[in-house]
């Protein structure tokens, strides 16, 4: 839920997005680009928006560029209800933004696997340096290592399952909120400037 105008200006003027700007210049085969040219390309090529979001995610910046909608005295009950739901959904989306992408390309396996291997490595060093357990109770030692690996795998499955569950919630709320915003803009319940951050 990005404001294309804001994104194009950020890409053009903010050094954080230089790699994306170079890619856009290359696609357009131009060195001097305008915000409008970037905007048009962003609309044509959604992968550039995904790259923008990924840069934001890595920099711990939000790509949910929707403001809290103000409820006015002249708003009807229906409009008030829509605005309140959008406001609630936007907060949910901001809270779940780390789950926007699915867990397929996540580093959970590396992180959790590294923890399991590190625990085994530390246990091995302590046992090898300060005891005779390898000689006296080797099956117990190797069994405990296998148990650590088992719990590491169970932890990975649990975290991945949680991520996938949160991802599904994010997708549903995102689609619903985006449709509500589009419908509200078409019905003139609020303006583009009221909805999107500049």
């Amino acid at each position: 839920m990005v404001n294309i105008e804001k994104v194009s200006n950020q890409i053009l003027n903010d050094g954080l997005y230089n790699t994306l700007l170079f890619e856009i210049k290359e696609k357009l085969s131009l060195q001097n680009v305008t915000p409008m040219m970037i905007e048009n390309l962003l609309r044509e090529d959604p992968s550039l928006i995904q790259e923008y979001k990924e840069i934001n995610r890595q920099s711990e910046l939000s790509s949910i560029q929707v403001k809290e909608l103000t409820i006015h005295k002249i708003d009807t009950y229906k409009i008030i209800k829509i605005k309140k739901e959008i406001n609630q959904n936007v907060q949910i989306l901001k809270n779940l933004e780390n789950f926007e992408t699915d867990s397929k390309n996540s580093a959970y396996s590396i992180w959790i696997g590294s923890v399991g291997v590190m625990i085994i490595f530390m246990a091995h060093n302590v046992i090898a340096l300060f005891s005779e357990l390898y000689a006296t109770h080797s099956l117990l030692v190797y069994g405990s290592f296998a148990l650590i690996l088992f719990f590491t795998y169970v932890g990975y499955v649990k975290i991945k399952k949680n991520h996938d569950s949160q991802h599904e919630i994010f997708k549903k709320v995102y689609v619903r909120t985006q449709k509500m915003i589009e419908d509200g803009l078409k019905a003139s319940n609020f303006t583009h400037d009221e909805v999107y951050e500049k």
Side-chain angles (χ1 to χ4, degrees):
M1 233 169 272
V2 294
N3 179 1
I4 298 287
E5 294 168 22
K6 178 178 180 174
V7 173
S8 63
N9 281 316
Q10 282 183 312
I11 290 171
L12 191 59
N13 300 314
D14 191 332
L16 180 63
Y17 307 100
N18 276 348
T19 55
L20 195 50
L21 179 60
F22 293 138
E23 187 178 338
I24 288 169
K25 286 180 178 180
E26 195 173 290
K27 283 184 184 243
L28 294 173
S29 301
L30 296 168
Q31 279 306 308
N32 295 321
V33 292
T34 65
M36 188 53 71
M37 295 165 100
I38 295 172
E39 244 180 85
N40 292 335
L41 186 60
L42 291 173
R43 290 182 204 286
E44 291 170 17
D45 189 351
S47 69
L48 295 171
I49 295 285
Q50 289 310 117
E51 283 185 54
Y52 169 83
K53 287 181 177 182
E54 188 58 37
I55 291 169
N56 282 352
R57 193 173 7 268
Q58 290 172 3
S59 304
E60 297 184 9
L61 300 171
S62 179
S63 293
I64 307 295
Q65 299 172 345
V66 176
K67 297 188 278 190
E68 184 173 337
L69 293 171
T70 306
I71 295 170
H72 304 288
K73 290 180 181 177
I74 59 169
D75 289 339
T76 64
Y77 174 77
K78 183 181 175 186
I79 293 173
I80 290 171
K81 189 176 174 190
I82 290 168
K83 285 183 174 182
K84 282 184 177 179
E85 186 175 347
I86 289 172
N87 288 344
Q88 288 173 348
N89 288 356
V90 166
Q91 190 56 54
I92 291 168
L93 291 172
K94 286 182 178 180
N95 293 341
L96 296 177
E97 196 166 4
N98 289 334
F99 300 102
E100 183 174 3
T101 57
D102 62 22
S103 64
K104 288 177 188 166
N105 298 321
S106 71
Y108 289 136
S109 55
I110 295 167
W111 295 340
I112 296 168
S114 297
V115 169
V117 169
M118 186 58 72
I119 291 170
I120 291 172
F121 178 73
M122 289 184 332
H124 160 74
N125 285 343
V126 169
I127 292 167
L129 292 172
F130 302 111
S131 74
E132 299 293 324
L133 288 176
Y134 273 116
T136 60
H137 296 85
S138 61
L139 284 178
L140 180 67
V141 172
Y142 291 118
S144 66
F145 291 165
L147 200 58
I148 291 169
L149 287 176
F150 172 75
F151 283 119
T152 300
Y153 178 75
V154 168
Y156 165 72
V157 169
K158 189 173 181 179
I159 288 173
K160 186 178 183 313
K161 195 174 185 180
N162 177 60
H163 184 104
D164 291 338
S165 168
Q166 299 297 325
H167 174 64
E168 288 304 313
I169 293 168
F170 181 92
K171 279 195 323 188
K172 286 177 188 169
V173 173
Y174 188 94
V175 168
R176 174 154 176 75
T177 308
Q178 192 168 34
K179 176 143 182 37
M180 289 175 74
I181 289 171
E182 287 170 6
D183 291 347
L185 288 170
K186 283 178 190 171
S188 299
N189 294 339
F190 35 77
T191 65
H192 187 273
D193 288 343
E194 283 181 279
V195 176
Y196 290 103
E197 296 173 359
K198 287 189 176 189

